């Protein structure tokens, strides 16, 4: 089959890889009809190379049709249309029953000290082949895949794999009070969708980004927007009675602009051999912290910071004095897809209150994936969300 594979820093390949096959009785094979490029895929493109091998199949946002199932996947007959959550979870262990599917005890990558295995996302998370491909092997298919109706286009449901539950969890974790205000840092796919969900729930939303097209897109849905700059925290306080917003969602993560020390650390790590890079990144502070530091500065005293952008360093400095003094709450983590999917599904109707049908900015053949990564990484051509089609 054809697939997108990691070939090196900023180098994505398109070509033949072995067809997936049933390996366990709880496996399914899904024929992919659409697969998204996620903002966290760009971390693989740019920073996380030490945890990848040449030829690793990328991608973790998948919708498709069940082609074949193992003997213990009775609930998914061939022909069912399904969305595949980005994490692999069993649904029955202690963590899954707590609604913490990203900590699934059946699929935890214990040799790396990490949580549940993820599709297409490095040795840290099990090095499971991903879904930017013609077919995907889905472990734990007795639980994971979400059945969706035939008929509407893939755009209606594909975001259940990651974007929707991640943005939903970001808003849940933000703990915004009734009538409250949330600032969203970064208006890429997750930040954009978090804004839409927060607006749908009746909150006041202030969005911050550097890219004019992203700011303009958010404004069309009623978001108050500000261009990122040195005084943006003061601007937000000016709009919130001098206090700051009740909550801040950091939807940027480890590659934030305005973090020269973090950028130098990432570039220095990139010059080391892979084995040394892995050790360095697991023990050193290599994240660009501007977005998180801005969130700490901006949020009102007693407020909440919801971290949804991916961070990767183990020794990044935090302003603990300020966090403690302001009595802030920090909530974070990979989204627990099946915990939220039932609440989200009723919104994926023909009324389309979250405007998912027009969320993608680019629809491209899978073969154009390498160029699509470059365009998305450079924030060029108005790229916010790219869907690939085998």
């Amino acid at each position: 089959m054809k697939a997108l594979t990691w070939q090196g820093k900023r180098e994505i390949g398109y070509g033949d890889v072995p067809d997936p096959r049933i390996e366990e009785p709880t496996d399914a094979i899904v024929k992919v009809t659409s697969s998204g490029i996620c903002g966290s895929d760009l971390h693989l493109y740019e920073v996380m190379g030490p945890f990848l091998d040449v030829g690793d199949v990328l991608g973790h946002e998948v919708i498709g049709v069940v082609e074949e199932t193992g003997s213990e996947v009775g609930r998914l007959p061939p022909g069912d249309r399904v969305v595949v959550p980005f994490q692999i979870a069993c649904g029955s262990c202690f963590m899954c029953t707590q609604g913490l599917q990203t900590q699934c005890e059946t699929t935890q990558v214990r040799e790396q000290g990490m949580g549940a295995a993820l599709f297409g996302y490095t040795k840290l998370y099990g090095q499971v082949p991903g879904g930017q491909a013609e077919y995907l092997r889905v472990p734990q298919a007795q639980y994971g895949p979400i059945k969706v109706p035939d008929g509407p286009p893939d755009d209606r449901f594909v975001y259940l794999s990651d974007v929707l539950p991640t943005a939903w969890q970001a808003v849940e974790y933000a703990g915004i009070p009734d009538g409250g205000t949330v600032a969203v840092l970064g208006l890429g796919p997750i930040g954009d969708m978090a804004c839409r969900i927060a607006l749908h729930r009746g909150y006041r939303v202030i969005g911050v980004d550097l890219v004019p097209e992203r700011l303009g897109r958010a404004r069309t849905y009623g978001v108050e927007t500000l261009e990122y700059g040195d005084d943006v925290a003061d601007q937000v306080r000016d709009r919130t009675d001098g206090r700051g917003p009740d909550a801040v969602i950091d939807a940027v993560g480890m590659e934030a602009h305005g973090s020269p020390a973090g950028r130098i650390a990432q570039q220095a790590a990139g010059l080391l051999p892979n084995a040394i890079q892995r050790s360095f990144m697991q023990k050193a502070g290599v994240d660009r912290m501007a977005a998180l530091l801005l969130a700490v500065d901006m949020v009102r005293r007693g407020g909440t910071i919801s971290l949804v952008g991916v961070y990767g360093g183990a020794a990044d400095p935090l302003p603990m004095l300020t966090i403690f003094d302001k009595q802030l709450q920090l909530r974070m983590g990979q989204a627990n897809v099946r915990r939220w999917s039932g609440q989200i599904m009723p919104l994926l109707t023909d009324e389309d209150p979250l405007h998912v049908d027009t969320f993608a900015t680019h629809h491209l053949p899978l073969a154009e994936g390498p160029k699509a990564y470059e365009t998305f990484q450079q924030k060029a051509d108005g790229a916010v969300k790219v869907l690939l089609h085998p």
Side-chain angles (χ1 to χ4, degrees):
M1 69 172 182
K2 300 292 187 183
L4 297 186
T5 58
W6 187 85
Q7 297 295 320
K9 185 173 181 177
R10 302 194 198 110
E11 186 177 354
I12 305 299
Y14 171 75
D16 292 313
V17 300
D19 290 347
R21 58 183 179 82
I22 299 292
E23 298 178 17
E24 301 290 340
T26 52
D27 287 351
I29 303 298
V30 171
K31 182 178 182 180
V32 178
T33 55
S34 295
S35 182
I37 301 179
C38 180
S40 57
D41 287 330
L42 296 184
H43 301 319
L44 311 184
Y45 186 71
E46 183 72 26
V47 178
M48 301 295 288
F51 300 99
L52 291 154
D53 288 332
V54 171
D56 281 354
V57 180
L58 303 174
H60 58 268
E61 299 184 351
V62 172
I63 185 171
V65 177
V66 176
E67 186 91 353
E68 181 184 1
T69 61
S71 60
E72 295 180 14
V73 189
R75 71 183 191 94
L76 293 177
D80 271 7
R81 189 186 193 194
V82 295
V83 172
V84 181
F86 71 91
Q87 78 258 170
I88 302 168
C90 72
S92 58
C93 70
F94 173 81
M95 288 295 178
C96 285
T97 60
Q98 302 301 305
L100 295 169
Q101 289 89 350
T102 57
Q103 311 303 324
C104 175
E105 292 176 325
T106 301
T107 73
Q108 277 180 19
V109 187
R110 289 180 171 83
E111 61 271 22
Q112 299 287 348
M114 305 300 279
L118 309 180
F119 288 103
Y121 215 78
T122 79
K123 294 181 176 73
L124 292 174
Y125 289 101
Q127 209 165 24
V128 181
Q132 289 168 3
E134 293 180 306
Y135 293 90
L136 176 69
R137 171 182 165 255
V138 182
Q140 303 297 325
Q142 83 289 348
Y143 172 69
I146 302 165
K147 292 186 182 183
V148 296
D150 292 326
D154 283 359
D155 297 57
R156 180 72 57 86
F157 302 113
V158 65
Y159 306 116
L160 278 171
S161 60
D162 184 349
V163 174
L164 279 166
T166 297
W168 191 275
Q169 181 170 295
V171 175
E172 287 279 343
Y173 279 12
I176 311 159
D178 290 346
T181 299
V182 59
V184 179
L185 307 183
L187 300 176
I190 302 302
D192 183 311
M193 186 58 74
C195 288
R196 299 181 191 206
I197 291 167
L199 287 168
H200 177 73
R201 294 189 182 188
Y203 303 124
R204 180 187 179 194
V205 182
I206 301 172
V208 179
D209 204 288
L210 283 165
V211 182
E213 293 88 350
R214 295 185 177 191
L215 292 165
R217 174 174 154 117
R219 279 195 297 272
T220 65
Y221 295 108
V223 178
E224 300 175 42
T225 60
L226 290 170
E227 185 175 354
Y228 174 78
D230 292 341
D231 65 343
V232 71
D234 290 332
Q235 291 186 60
V236 172
R237 279 189 283 270
D238 287 344
R239 296 187 181 203
T240 52
D241 300 321
R243 296 190 191 94
D246 301 291
V248 176
I249 294 172
D250 173 2
V252 179
M254 70 168 79
E255 295 182 72
H257 291 274
S259 300
R263 182 175 185 179
I264 291 168
Q266 289 175 356
Q267 291 173 339
L271 300 175
L272 300 171
N274 275 356
I276 300 175
Q277 282 188 64
R278 286 195 292 270
S279 177
F280 180 80
M281 292 181 70
Q282 288 174 307
K283 296 177 181 177
V286 297
D287 294 316
R288 305 187 200 180
M289 301 286 287
L292 178 53
L293 297 177
L294 176 60
V296 171
D297 180 23
M298 180 185 293
V299 71
R300 70 162 170 81
R301 291 177 177 274
T304 301
I305 297 172
S306 176
L307 277 179
V308 65
V310 175
Y311 286 89
D316 293 307
L318 286 174
M320 292 304 299
L321 175 63
T322 303
I323 293 170
F324 181 83
D325 178 66
K326 292 183 74 172
Q327 290 187 246
L328 303 183
Q329 297 184 67
L330 273 69
R331 298 197 69 186
M332 66 196 79
Q334 305 274 11
N336 303 292
V337 174
R338 291 298 299 271
R339 178 173 181 175
W340 311 116
S341 58
Q343 297 178 44
I344 298 168
M345 188 71 81
L347 299 178
L348 304 182
T349 64
D350 287 342
E351 295 179 3
D352 192 19
L354 300 179
H355 307 284
V356 294
D357 282 351
T358 55
F359 188 68
T361 53
H362 293 67
H363 286 264
L364 297 168
L366 184 66
E368 295 183 24
K371 179 62 177 177
Y373 264 84
E374 180 182 358
T375 300
F376 188 27
Q377 197 264 347
Q378 294 178 354
K379 301 179 177 68
D381 193 31
V384 176
K385 190 63 188 177
V386 179
L387 290 182
L388 302 171
H389 308 284

